[in-house]
Amino acid sequence: MGYKLIMVSLLEEENRILKVKAVTRNSFTQVAIDMLDQDVSTYGLDITALNTQQNISVIAIKTKQTLISTDLKDAFGSMLPEQTIETIQSTLQVSCIAVTPITSRGAVLGSITILFSGKTKEEVIVAEKYFIDTYADVIGVALDNAHSFAEKQLALTQLEEKIGDLEEAYRKEKDMMDILAHELRTPISTARNAFSLLETMLKSAQHPDPEKIASYAKIVRTNLQREIKLLEILSLIHISEPTRLR
């Protein structure tokens, strides 16, 4: 396969720019790269712009078909000066150029651009098109796998975050239950102690102090009322969230 250069470009979904991502590096391509006024990775093609609609890269992406031309300007005319394109074509002795869309699961991910030397357009169609399409399919699968891996990594990160959220929620609920348990024990203990003192006083004293009796009785009553309120709160929580207090 007498190719001079293979270039892979990927479509950036957010702005619909076809961006150059990889170019074969050898003595031939380095000559062409040296003719550019900026790094090759900075070049891009806006597939929505009016002046790019006749570009074979744009047409290949929109039709999902391999397109072949004998003029480099058909592919690079929207990105490079005409004189630069002509110089590259003559220096590399490019006879034709093929652009094939890279697809995966029906979606277009980008394109492969191949520059041929010493082959006619018809020869490329007959002898090289199968190779070009296969090469594009292989890259499409590789990109899809990379995307799937990135999605899995993202899902794993999100899962770890959810686990962290659940652990935090469990910790807060445990803290709340510890507080509730303490709050439930406190009034019962206070009422029990007051009742014990009252019982002891009534048994031992011939003439119990009415003020002390009233004071102890008030302590018992107040704390029992507090306990009842706490139990009512727990009952409401159980009604609204049945599994929470299991």
Side-chain angles (χ1 to χ4, degrees):
M1 181 173 136
Y3 69 86
K4 290 290 185 178
L5 179 146
I6 298 177
M7 180 176 74
V8 176
S9 304
L10 298 182
L11 190 60
E12 297 179 348
E13 284 296 328
E14 64 275 9
N15 52 22
R16 306 301 289 172
I17 300 292
L18 188 64
K19 200 81 171 180
V20 177
K21 295 297 182 180
V23 178
T24 51
R25 299 280 181 167
N26 54 47
S27 58
F28 294 105
T29 58
Q30 193 58 50
V31 172
I33 291 171
D34 290 341
M35 295 179 190
L36 305 177
D37 57 4
Q38 60 192 56
D39 188 87
V40 66
S41 63
T42 62
Y43 286 96
L45 188 66
D46 184 351
I47 68 170
T48 64
L50 292 176
N51 66 331
T52 65
Q53 298 311 297
Q54 298 305 311
N55 187 293
I56 61 173
S57 297
V58 175
I59 298 173
I61 284 176
K62 290 187 174 181
T63 62
K64 297 182 181 179
Q65 295 179 350
T66 298
L67 296 182
I68 301 172
S69 174
T70 57
D71 192 344
L72 288 188
K73 289 193 290 292
D74 290 341
F76 300 112
S78 307
M79 294 188 290
L80 300 173
E82 184 174 327
Q83 183 60 48
T84 301
I85 297 173
E86 291 176 352
T87 302
I88 290 174
Q89 183 154 9
S90 62
T91 301
L92 297 185
Q93 298 180 335
V94 176
S95 58
C96 62
I97 178 173
V99 180
T100 301
I102 300 172
T103 62
S104 176
R105 304 185 189 185
V108 178
L109 305 179
S111 67
I112 298 175
T113 302
I114 303 178
L115 277 56
F116 291 92
S117 177
K119 288 184 178 289
T120 65
K121 183 176 179 179
E122 291 72 22
E123 287 174 333
V124 171
I125 293 173
V126 173
E128 307 294 351
K129 188 176 182 301
Y130 175 78
F131 168 81
I132 298 170
D133 291 343
T134 302
Y135 193 46
D137 290 340
V138 170
I139 293 179
V141 170
L143 290 172
D144 186 60
N145 289 339
H147 181 67
S148 297
F149 177 77
E151 285 185 337
K152 289 177 182 177
Q153 289 297 105
L154 177 61
L156 181 60
T157 300
Q158 292 174 339
L159 179 60
E160 289 173 346
E161 290 175 354
K162 291 294 183 184
I163 291 173
D165 292 341
L166 288 173
E167 289 176 343
E168 178 65 14
Y170 173 77
R171 185 190 64 77
K172 288 181 178 179
E173 185 161 326
K174 184 178 181 300
D175 290 345
M176 183 196 74
M177 296 306 295
D178 289 343
I179 292 170
L180 281 174
H182 174 73
E183 290 296 317
L184 286 169
R185 285 193 299 269
T186 299
I188 285 291
S189 298
T190 304
R192 182 185 60 196
N193 292 337
F195 185 80
S196 295
L197 290 171
L198 179 60
E199 187 180 35
T200 301
M201 184 181 66
L202 290 173
K203 286 180 179 180
S204 61
Q206 294 181 353
H207 303 287
D209 187 342
E211 290 185 2
K212 287 186 176 181
I213 292 174
S215 175
Y216 290 146
K218 183 179 180 181
I219 292 173
V220 172
R221 183 175 58 254
T222 300
N223 281 277
L224 287 177
Q225 289 174 342
R226 181 182 175 189
E227 186 77 9
I228 290 169
K229 287 182 179 180
L230 287 170
L231 290 172
E232 287 175 346
I233 292 172
L234 288 176
S235 178
L236 289 173
I237 294 174
H238 180 67
I239 292 171
S240 60
E241 301 180 60
T243 61
R244 188 167 183 178
L245 297 178
R246 289 182 181 178

